[in-house]
Amino acid sequence: KQKTAYEIYQCDWSSDVCSSDLPAASFAAPVSLPSDPLERAATCAAAILGQQPENTPFAVADRAAHLLLLASGGTPEGMSKAQPILISAAQKLAGNLADVDPTVAACDKAFPRTVANAPLRMPKDANERVIGCAILGSYMQGFYQGFADGKYPEAARYGQLVTATNSKIEGALVASNITTEEQVKAKIYGVAASLSDYGPPTKVADACLKEFG
């Protein structure tokens, strides 16, 4: 029996891939960001978490997840590469608290789509929206299960999004003439790579739930 699109995607986003073994110490970061795109996004995630390393607010954790999505390119393989960079950045940045706020300001300029007031840019095609919303729900649910399982009640919206889109994604793929497992993976990872441009995950999830929930 051929796997469904959700089975293909969810088996890739295992909790050990999505989990974060960040050090408990406060982080800081240099004001000049790394030139490598993956390292830059992962470093910004570390710096943003470093502003409030203890009792991290949901909005901060959500933005870090958004930056990791950027760093990973929307694939589990990319996340596997991004995670150790994030951990290494956190370890290197520990102790320079004066650099945290200037670095976050630099990250705001480097990644304007991740700031809280960034506008939504949802796809015009309805099938693309279904697929994008489904992938976002799966990715964010995996992130919070690994990062802080049960800590953020607000993260429940991502589980709701998974439930709301689970019955719709197969139809969206068929409507897009995507039927084989190889085509499904290529489409899902292609959409995942563009997810970070939709806007802040919370806003995107709420828009998805309004349409499909």
Side-chain angles (χ1 to χ4, degrees):
K1 178 179 177 294
Q2 181 173 304
K3 294 179 182 177
T4 67
Y6 250 75
E7 287 171 337
I8 292 171
Y9 200 73
Q10 288 182 320
C11 71
D12 284 340
W13 285 112
S14 59
S15 59
D16 62 326
V17 169
C18 295
S19 65
S20 179
D21 300 319
L22 295 175
S26 297
F27 318 140
V31 175
S32 61
L33 300 176
S35 58
D36 177 75
L38 189 156
E39 187 177 355
R40 183 164 62 247
T43 298
C44 283
I48 286 164
L49 288 171
Q51 286 187 307
Q52 293 176 278
E54 296 181 7
N55 300 316
T56 304
F58 172 72
V60 174
D62 223 50
R63 188 179 181 194
H66 193 177
L67 284 159
L68 284 175
L69 181 62
L70 269 166
S72 70
T75 69
E77 293 81 8
M79 181 60 72
S80 295
K81 293 178 181 178
Q83 186 178 343
I85 293 175
L86 172 65
I87 296 169
S88 176
Q91 292 170 340
K92 290 179 181 178
L93 305 172
N96 273 330
L97 296 179
D99 285 342
V100 172
D101 289 343
T103 301
V104 171
C107 293
D108 291 347
K109 293 181 179 179
F111 300 106
R113 299 296 299 147
T114 68
V115 300
N117 61 355
L120 287 175
R121 291 181 183 170
M122 302 292 285
K124 293 182 179 180
D125 181 77
N127 293 319
E128 290 281 324
R129 289 198 302 276
V130 171
I131 298 168
C133 290
I135 296 169
L136 179 75
S138 181
Y139 165 74
M140 295 299 290
Q141 185 182 53
F143 172 84
Y144 280 105
Q145 286 174 348
F147 179 73
D149 193 13
K151 181 178 179 180
Y152 300 104
E154 302 95 328
R157 56 165 53 86
Y158 299 119
Q160 295 166 4
L161 186 54
V162 169
T163 301
T165 55
N166 195 21
S167 62
K168 298 177 176 64
I169 189 170
E170 293 299 324
L173 289 166
V174 170
S176 301
N177 296 316
I178 296 169
T179 55
T180 69
E181 185 169 323
E182 291 74 18
Q183 290 175 326
V184 168
K185 275 201 169 187
K187 181 64 173 180
I188 285 179
Y189 292 153
V191 172
S194 67
L195 267 181
S196 57
D197 194 49
Y198 287 19
T202 301
K203 284 186 177 181
V204 176
D206 289 346
C208 292
L209 287 170
K210 184 176 181 180
E211 182 173 5
F212 303 117

